[in-house]
Amino acid sequence: MVTGVNGSLRDMARRIEHHTTSPRSAEKVYGAMVDETYVRDRLAAIGGNDAELVTFSSSEGKASYQLKQGVPAEHLPSMARSLLGGDLVIQRVENWAAGAGTVEVTLNGVPGRLDGSFTITDNGSGSKLTLTGEVKVSIPLVGGKLEKLIAEQVAVLLDKESEFTSEWLANRGLRRPAGPGALG
């Protein structure tokens, strides 16, 4: 434990840095991140219970959106289940501009949050997305354990989202136009 000058427990946050790679260029991956159809498709595929795109706005290659995602209680560790008393509801706000983004995540029933930034860079023949941030949970004795759990689950989610993004971008080129005059 770390204490402050007055002997009280000092708040600490858990640093998180996670990398995912894509066979697509940074420009293509960023293009997906600011595309409302992509965000809706990703949320439908891996958003969990009661997933919802709460808000979405974009202009001139920038985008801001708020997502609500759910994790059923039976998929949570017992410590998290007892703390929450039910399903986990995740509120996530992302802002993207100039090939980079920020993210703020809050969880129902947990006095804490994740704040971070995303960068997307070209990496060989593809790209690399990096999340750098901090997870902070202000609950005495169990806060550190919850921070670790949240950081681990964020890494798992980012890996799933990266796989989805690569598949979505690969399949996007195969879609045919719809509507009048479209080829069947």
Side-chain angles (χ1 to χ4, degrees), residues 48-84:
N49 286 1
D50 301 320
E52 177 185 354
L53 179 59
V54 178
T55 63
F56 186 95
S57 64
S58 71
S59 88
E60 300 176 16
K62 299 177 184 179
S64 295
Y65 44 88
Q66 179 181 355
L67 309 170
K68 182 181 112 181
Q69 297 172 265
V71 179
E74 62 266 16
H75 295 281
L76 299 171
S78 61
M79 177 182 59
R81 276 195 308 269
S82 63
L83 177 69
L84 295 171

Side-chain angles (χ1 to χ4, degrees), residues 102-169:
T102 61
V103 63
E104 299 170 10
V105 178
T106 56
L107 311 169
N108 69 306
V110 178
R113 60 186 294 125
L114 178 146
D115 292 296
S117 60
F118 288 110
T119 55
I120 306 171
T121 55
D122 284 317
N123 183 29
S125 62
S127 61
K128 177 170 79 169
L129 182 139
T130 302
L131 168 68
T132 305
E134 289 187 342
V135 179
K136 181 164 178 16
V137 177
S138 302
I139 301 176
L141 305 177
V142 297
K145 290 179 184 177
L146 284 173
E147 289 169 357
K148 181 177 186 237
L149 172 70
I150 292 167
E152 290 168 352
Q153 292 305 306
V154 165
V156 168
L157 178 62
L158 290 176
D159 289 342
K160 287 180 183 177
E161 288 180 355
S162 178
E163 289 174 25
F164 176 84
T165 303
S166 293
E167 289 173 18
W168 189 87
L169 286 169

